[in-house]
Amino acid sequence: MQNTREIAFTLNGEEVSHRVPVRQHLADFLRHELGLTGTHIGCEQGVCGACTIRVNGRSARSCLMLAVQADGCVVETIEGISQSGEIADLQHEFIQRNAAQCAFCTPGMLMTAADLIGGKEPVSRDAIRDHISGNYCRCTGYHAIVDAIESTLNKRLASDKSNPHHG
Amino acid sequence: MDNQRPSDRESIIGKSVPRSALRQLVHGRGRYTDDIQLPRMLELVFVRSPLAHAKIVNINIDDALRQPGIAHIFTGADIAEICKPWNGEAAHRPNLKSAPQYPLAMEQVTWQGEPIVAILAETRAQAEDAIDHVFIDFEELPAVVDPHGALEASAPLIHPDLGTNLADEQLIEAGSPDEAFNKALHVVEADFTFGRQTGVTLEPRSVIADYNSGSRSLTVYQSHQSPFQMQDLYAQNLAIDENNVRVICPDVGGAFGVKLHIYGDEVAAVASSVLTGRPVKFVADRMESFVSDTHARDHRVKARMAVSANGRIQAFEVDDLSAVGPYGHARRFSIVEGLQTITSAAAPYKFKHYRGRTRIVYQNKNMIGMYRGVGLPIACAVGEQMVDLAAAAVHMDPLEFRRQNYIDDDMYPHTTATGIHFEQLSLHQCLTQLKALMNYDELRQEQQQQRERGIYRGIGIATFIEQTAYGSRYYGPTEARVSVQEGCTLKLEPTGKVRCLTSATEQGQGTTAGIAQIVAEELGIGVDDISVIHGDSGTTPYGGGSWASRGAAMAGEAALKAARQLQSNILEVAAALLDLAPQELTLSRSRICLKHNGQSCMELEEVAKIGHFRQDQLPADLQPEFAVTRSHVPRNDVPPYYVANGVQASYLEVDTHTGIIRLLRHWAVDDCGRILNPMIVDEQVRGGIVQGIGGALLEKCHYDLQGQMLNASMADYLVPMASEMPDIHVEHVETPTRYTQLGAKGVGEAGTIGAIGVMWCAINDALRPLGAQVKEQPFTPEVILDALKQTHQ
Ligand code: FES
Ligand code: FES
């Protein structure tokens, strides 16, 4: 008999409740039970960052969390923050600069980068590189990803300046 | 065709058009193999060998079968009943020996990680739980791990039937190398050790097989580079009619050659679907990937170079020993790294006397296959290090030494002493451009000033060549059933939009975007008017897929031919409607225009509509042909590859106390022939360079003396992270090949090929004033400190 538990949490703005095996990690649950396949699995060890999602407003590795730990949390995935338009500008820059090749790392990379582009201060290339260092990309060599994040941030800061009330 | 273009027609080829495929991928709406769920699908996991070399005495699955959710368990013998083995032999190389390879181990295991038993269950967790309930008795055998040891008389034989661990030996000789070495004023020598590494695609190998026992048809979803190769294999080895086998490659999360091969576990998954009549999914986890994805490199090389007093290379010699695991990869062979090492090292330089030898040996480690660059990174590193040593011996600047010894621009077409044919390279131009790009002279001054302050910085330069798009004269004689042609079908839809079905496959390189640009340019439509369908052996024309940097060159040429034919078919219909001659018309901005002045006559959409729905308006004998297929295969009277070239430079700092290397800057000037999309090419080069840097500095599969891989996890096998990598400046030279109309050569491997060599040169350049030299890659802090220590002894 599988040991299961009922959980309830907010997923991409909607209330969800589900019975989950206690041994199942959150990435598997999102992908295979809920069909949210934008969250990828590259190592199941917390190293590669492909499974990065947002839990209670902070980026987290969904392979290192059990599904039962999501109980009562606010969880956001790439599908959610794409639909809301929160990172539409960042996604646009990724496309314009070919900052994704196979794109297996991309959803996780975007979730991590989303933390950076909400700030009010410019961020150096080195700081961007440091920030995304927990997300492996095997294809791009990172340069274009850094360009895309840097340019999104600079555009946001420039528009904050010209619209100080909306900042 | 350029002269036929009206002046208002914009060129799309050569523009940095963003890839439309990315729109879904950045939204997390890709569809990779593991994203697919089929009804009644079973999950498969493998029991893998814990030993590198052992006899299998007994396998007991009784207890495992009783575990919850277990549907079936298969051993090697079960699978072998319906699946023939394959073999890495080549018909034209009778001396190349390889043992037959079965999907699962039969009587013996030959590497740690070899799959032995397939467990199929309703969920993956259940299948994994049952692994502990499979009991296998092994009789452990001594493992062959060291490449030199493999050849010793006392070495245990991995495949006693072959009578030797030596897979093959190849020799090349040109001129009189012995005499040239004897006469030379300076002879420089070096030994090289290249570590074993692996590709680490972020998406692991994945396959879903769906055998329909009613129709006896097989559909396979597979994260793979060559759906046609796999269709052929499943048809041949599982005895299913090929017309009933369809292999679909959905989005693929990186491949780099890893996903070009035939893997026992993947074939066992497909065979399991045939045996059970149910869909079966196998997705390697990361630990399995490390011990079963194809590995690469693992070479020991000795080289020497003779140079005259005035700095002319006189003779060169390379002796390579390549360890390839226990089998040769079927259809791709495991001798290619060795062969490329001895044919391509120092190939950009003019010398007449040469001797090269490669010996390929079997050992009890995971198999070696075709990883990005194959043997060319080794060739580049060896050649360029020897050139640096030779330059130092005659006290010449290494950049000027290269220029002086490069094949001269007026020597093309040229065949090297090592036997490679160059149609036309741009060595001198690339070097000149690189020198300016990196501010070479100032950098040397800066380096000197830093040295005086005890800071050791190195400048490395590495010239590389890349044979791309190997053709039929190469693969044909092997009898390896490898398709080297590519095909393209174009369909004009009734609204004037186009569907393009290409045999090229996509693992993120952007080849299919380049193909859309070719079609758009030829048909005078926008790239967004074209949808590209790829990676489906059931619908696209037959072809090889994407490997050996062939996509743009081969599938691009097929697309060009198809687009020109479709254009002519469209203009024929338009001409009939307009009562003009087809030659008077052209296509531009989705319109039919007069060629001589660009004046628009009618919309393409109107022609498409009439051709599809209102054929009554056409002359009686005119058949609109709005679906066109063309193929491309290299001609048999030209060399069986194109050759791209380029040069890279690295500037780095070695901390002589910690052995840590800090990358300061990296440059590349690359010539991949005609460029379809500069942005995509830049990103191929950058990504390739970073993979190469990973190989140079970090990546190594560590094995112990028993053949156990010690770092088979993402936490222990290091790959480059963003914070360690430099920005990479890329520029281009464009020397189109004249063997095709398109002129593209290929770029997918260029970055990786040059990167190990350029790091090697830069590090040794930094260490030269200290009298130290690294001889072993990857250049971990330990290797650096060891090299420094040796100078104190
Ligand atoms: S899958 Fe979670 S960090 Fe790699
Ligand atoms: S784009 Fe392939 S791993 Fe990042």
Side-chain angles (χ1 to χ4, degrees), chain A residues 99-106 136-140 145, chain B residues 202 253-254 256:
Chain A
Q101 290 184 25
C102 81
F104 200 75
C105 68
T106 308
Y136 286 177
C137 174
R138 214 36 194 156
C139 303
T140 64
I145 295 176
Chain B
L202 204 58
F256 319 125

Side-chain angles (χ1 to χ4, degrees), chain A residues 25 27 39-52 60-64 104 134 136, chain B residues 202 286 714:
Chain A
H25 63 58
T39 299
H40 294 156
I41 293 178
C43 71
E44 297 182 282
Q45 216 189 352
V47 181
C48 75
C51 67
T52 307
R61 314 237 143 169
S62 57
C63 74
L64 291 187
F104 200 75
Y136 286 177
Chain B
L202 204 58
R286 186 55 62 186
M714 201 79 123

